[in-house]
Amino acid sequence: MNFKWNYVPPTSERKQAAKELADKIGMSPILADLLIQRGIKTESAAKRFFRPMLSELIDPFLMNDMDVAVDRLNDAMGRKERIMVYGDYDVDGCTAVALVYKFLQQFYSNIEYYIPDRYEEGYGVSRKGIDYAAERDVKLIIVLDCGIKAIDEIAYAKERGVDFIICDHHVPDEEMPPAVAILNPKREDSTYPFKDLCGCGVGFKFMQAFAKNNGIPFSRLIPLLDFCAVSIAADIVPVVGENRTLAFHGLKQLNQNPSIGLKAIIEICGLTGRELTMSDIVFKIGPRINASGRMQNGTEAVDLLVEKDFSQALAEANHVNEYNDQRRDIDKQMTEEANEIVARLESQQHMQSIVLYDENWKKGVVGIVASRLTELYFRPTVVLTIIDGLATGSARSVAGFDIYDAIKSCRDLLQNFGGHTYAVGLSLKQENIPEFRRRFQEYVSNHILPEQTQALLDIEEEVDFRDINKKLLNDLKKFAPHGPNNPKPLFCTRNVYDYGTSKVVGRNQEHIKLELVDSLSSNVMNGIAFGQSAAARYIKSKRSFDIVYTIEENTYKRGDIQLQIEDIQPSEV
């Protein structure tokens, strides 16, 4: 891949500010400058960033309708009404349902949970789910990670004597459903100071408010924070503000005392005994929770997440793992087919977006394929499959481009849509696909910036090898957890050379294990460049080159530094 490197050298003012901050916090000016680039400019702000406190979580009652929601839940419990916790079938929805159900179950037994079937009911609140609830004499549904657009469905539920409390984080329409309470920080009239909670985060705030109102110690909520960390990582929401606090303490819980279900997933992933990071959730834990809803029904994922017996959880985790293996095979096949279509369709070659559909593609996997194509072609992508004449699918975006607005511009062609800046679900009549493709591509062409369609590496610091030591590595760890708006810092070093011992490694000789020196120090740095064996010949030629990398701890030699090299380019002569 041909990356464009984006680096803005610090001004003299920023250098001075970094030096002053570094003196106050006892860190390298390099790391102080990373803080400044994140908007953290004072000693007190740096302390809050490195040690986010649960005591500083925002008052949940600042969220619109929170008092109404808590009152309705209290009434339901007081009247011994049957309560249903209802959620989306993805990681965010399943963890949200597990969190709310597990917490309330400690105080109330007349409660159940429900995950709609992706293939029979589709996304969000379904009439089938409402009918099922009404038949079981459910009087209150708490819906999580969906529901903000279910106007007709919630009106229907009202007719059947079922009340709704909505806990969602997706962008609402002008008209909102007739629910008893709508908890959503993205409401236009929102009074909540943090807008970027995930669905599980909104559920957590609801439980925090319920606990506060009923004199339940906050400590009873702490064991559920691992669900928040999993959800924040998997749903790719900004890891700043309240999300950072929840993710920080959620990761702590995940590492020290995870819930039984998550512990079983950690074991089948081969992660036991390792310090888990957000990347482990994104690439290992999250896909296994998702696989249940993609291949069969998300209820199995929630069954696993709320399981109390470890041996039973392990059996369920192995079952979910089988779904993930099936999902991987289908994902691989569909991505290959999609790539062939892109290569074949001349019209797609110079377009700044991709819209594909195939009636044989599996509905539960189109979102992953859209993500893969976005990563490969750096273009906003929509992937659709056909079910009963209706095109249903997912849209994914590139950094900085709001795909929700792009999809919304075509709303008159759609049956339904919902999501946020980088990910949208949608459905439309099959005959509307050509016009949707034309209008979507026209919108993208008119609004996307040239730099948004390039493989870009945002370099934060240009350093020499003499700057890299164990203290820097240990201090760098404090910047975690990483995610959107707090990425793992990318460094650049110019004019480096092979020490003479670099070699190609891997089953298919696709990686390079490097030992490097730079022109300013005698430090020999170890590095690994995954999938970049094409650069090996140049490296061995003894000519200088420039590298962009993250600084990691060697997983096989604790305490040793290893550079994970993202790109290699010949030095400018």
Side-chain angles (χ1 to χ4, degrees):
M1 186 175 289
N2 294 317
F3 284 106
K4 182 182 178 185
W5 296 7
N6 179 38
Y7 174 62
V8 179
T11 60
S12 55
E13 290 82 5
R14 200 175 95 194
K15 281 182 182 176
Q16 183 58 32
K19 184 179 181 306
E20 289 171 9
L21 182 59
D23 290 341
K24 288 173 185 169
I25 63 174
M27 274 189 177
S28 155
I30 292 166
L31 300 189
D33 189 51
L34 291 179
L35 289 172
I36 287 168
Q37 290 184 66
R38 283 157 176 71
I40 299 158
K41 298 176 181 177
T42 65
E43 184 180 1
S44 60
K47 283 179 179 171
R48 283 197 304 276
F49 179 78
F50 290 132
R51 289 190 293 279
M53 308 288 285
L54 287 170
S55 58
E56 293 176 354
L57 287 173
I58 299 164
D59 179 356
F61 284 99
L62 291 177
M63 195 176 289
N64 305 55
D65 284 1
M66 186 62 83
D67 52 346
V68 181
V70 171
D71 286 347
R72 181 64 185 91
L73 179 55
N74 285 336
D75 287 347
M77 289 179 163
R79 294 196 290 254
K80 296 188 166 42
E81 293 176 350
R82 187 145 188 82
I83 298 170
M84 176 183 280
V85 185
Y86 186 120
D88 188 24
Y89 35 64
D90 69 359
V91 178
D92 193 13
C94 289
T95 51
V97 168
L99 185 150
V100 171
Y101 176 79
K102 276 187 81 170
F103 187 68
L104 291 180
Q105 199 191 31
Q106 298 173 75
F107 314 103
Y108 191 70
S109 59
N110 196 13
I111 185 168
E112 63 181 296
Y113 54 84
Y114 185 91
I115 304 291
D117 186 288
R118 185 191 289 261
Y119 297 95
E120 288 186 15
E121 298 167 75
Y123 170 78
V125 178
S126 72
R127 289 195 174 223
K128 181 183 174 183
I130 292 165
D131 289 340
Y132 175 81
E135 284 157 16
R136 293 178 60 78
D137 201 30
V138 169
K139 296 298 181 191
L140 174 65
I141 294 178
I142 300 167
V143 61
L144 295 138
D145 192 35
C146 56
I148 197 63
K149 293 196 170 187
I151 294 166
D152 295 341
E153 290 80 4
I154 291 176
Y156 173 68
K158 249 181 135 177
E159 290 170 15
R160 298 217 58 181
V162 181
D163 282 344
F164 264 82
I165 293 171
I166 296 172
C167 303
D168 204 352
H169 70 123
H170 295 101
V171 180
D173 272 341
E174 290 76 16
E175 184 185 355
M176 293 203 288
V180 171
I182 297 174
L183 308 178
N184 187 332
K186 289 196 178 79
R187 285 173 58 155
E188 272 201 24
D189 60 347
S190 177
T191 52
Y192 197 70
F194 185 71
K195 308 298 180 194
D196 292 315
L197 290 169
C198 58
C200 187
V202 178
F204 179 84
K205 298 306 294 187
F206 184 21
M207 292 303 95
Q208 185 189 359
F210 171 79
K212 190 174 181 180
N213 180 262
N214 287 280
I216 300 164
F218 182 83
S219 58
R220 298 286 292 271
L221 284 159
I222 290 173
L224 300 167
L225 285 170
D226 52 2
F227 291 137
C228 288
V230 169
S231 179
I232 288 164
D235 218 51
I236 318 180
V237 290
V239 186
V240 295
E242 195 161 39
N243 281 343
R244 179 172 172 82
T245 304
L246 293 170
F248 181 92
H249 290 279
L251 270 178
K252 200 171 168 182
Q253 186 69 27
L254 194 65
N255 278 292
Q256 292 175 1
N257 190 21
S259 61
I260 297 295
L262 287 173
K263 187 179 179 184
I265 297 173
I266 289 164
E267 182 152 320
I268 61 127
C269 289
L271 296 172
T272 305
R274 270 185 51 183
E275 185 171 355
L276 301 171
T277 65
M278 299 291 266
S279 290
D280 292 319
I281 296 170
V282 171
F283 296 110
K284 301 278 188 178
I285 297 169
R288 284 165 173 81
I289 297 171
N290 252 337
S292 176
R294 292 189 190 282
M295 305 306 296
Q296 288 294 327
N297 189 296
T299 303
E300 291 183 52
V302 181
D303 292 343
L304 168 58
L305 293 175
V306 301
E307 182 56 58
K308 294 173 182 174
D309 178 76
F310 185 67
S311 59
Q312 177 60 26
L314 212 48
E316 291 173 2
N318 276 302
H319 197 204
V320 165
N321 199 44
E322 288 170 15
Y323 287 147
N324 193 51
D325 290 341
Q326 293 169 26
R327 187 272 309 163
R328 265 200 299 242
D329 292 342
I330 294 169
D331 162 16
K332 186 171 182 287
Q333 181 188 334
M334 283 172 56
T335 302
E336 285 171 1
E337 290 172 3
N339 276 326
E340 286 172 12
I341 294 170
V342 173
R344 204 166 57 239
L345 287 178
E346 195 57 42
S347 62
Q348 299 277 3
Q349 299 294 325
H350 33 265
M351 289 292 183
Q352 289 178 304
S353 65
I354 295 170
V355 179
L356 301 178
Y357 76 96
D358 188 303
E359 60 190 22
N360 297 314
W361 286 342
K362 193 168 179 70
K363 182 182 175 184
V365 186
V366 291
I368 299 174
V369 175
S371 294
R372 300 227 190 286
L373 294 176
T374 302
E375 290 165 11
L376 191 61
Y377 295 104
F378 277 83
R379 288 184 267 176
T381 298
V382 180
V383 178
L384 303 162
T385 186
I386 312 298
I387 298 173
D388 300 327
L390 200 65
T392 303
S394 293
R396 296 292 184 270
S397 193
V398 294
F401 182 78
D402 191 330
I403 203 161
Y404 183 87
D405 282 349
I407 298 291
K408 189 177 178 182
S409 73
C410 308
R411 67 184 308 162
D412 56 301
L413 298 171
L414 306 176
Q415 299 291 105
N416 206 350
F417 75 102
H420 43 79
T421 305
Y422 293 121
V424 176
L426 67 157
S427 61
L428 65 159
K429 289 178 180 174
Q430 188 171 355
E431 59 265 29
N432 286 345
I433 293 174
E435 179 61 11
F436 168 77
R437 174 188 277 134
R438 186 192 70 76
R439 293 233 321 251
F440 176 76
Q441 291 182 333
E442 183 179 29
Y443 182 96
V444 174
S445 296
N446 290 336
H447 292 83
I448 203 161
L449 301 173
E451 58 267 26
Q452 290 171 338
T453 60
Q454 288 182 295
L456 201 65
L457 291 176
D458 286 314
I459 299 160
E460 293 196 63
E461 301 290 336
E462 192 170 304
V463 299
D464 304 325
F465 284 170
R466 63 188 170 191
D467 298 317
I468 304 171
N469 53 42
K470 288 186 179 179
K471 182 176 182 342
L472 185 100
L473 173 67
N474 290 330
D475 286 343
L476 203 49
K477 288 178 186 176
K478 297 173 185 173
F479 281 75
H482 296 294
N485 294 33
N486 182 37
K488 193 171 274 193
L490 278 178
F491 298 90
C492 170
T493 302
R494 302 191 185 274
N495 296 306
V496 304
Y497 298 85
D498 174 28
Y499 187 59
T501 46
S502 298
K503 59 184 178 182
V504 174
V505 295
R507 185 180 298 172
N508 300 310
Q509 301 286 284
E510 67 271 44
H511 315 308
I512 316 174
K513 192 173 185 304
L514 296 145
E515 288 191 326
L516 304 172
V517 290
D518 70 0
S519 55
L520 296 172
S521 72
S522 57
N523 289 3
V524 179
M525 297 300 305
N526 292 312
I528 183 78
F530 293 113
Q532 297 183 61
S533 58
R537 181 175 290 182
Y538 185 92
I539 289 167
K540 300 303 284 182
S541 72
K542 300 292 184 186
R543 287 176 286 177
S544 70
F545 49 96
D546 304 338
I547 53 173
V548 175
Y549 53 90
T550 59
I551 299 172
E552 312 286 348
E553 184 173 45
N554 191 317
T555 46
Y556 301 106
K557 296 179 183 174
R558 291 299 292 267
D560 281 10
I561 297 168
Q562 178 171 274
L563 310 183
Q564 184 164 313
I565 294 165
E566 301 297 322
D567 198 27
I568 299 167
Q569 292 187 6
S571 299
E572 290 181 11
V573 181

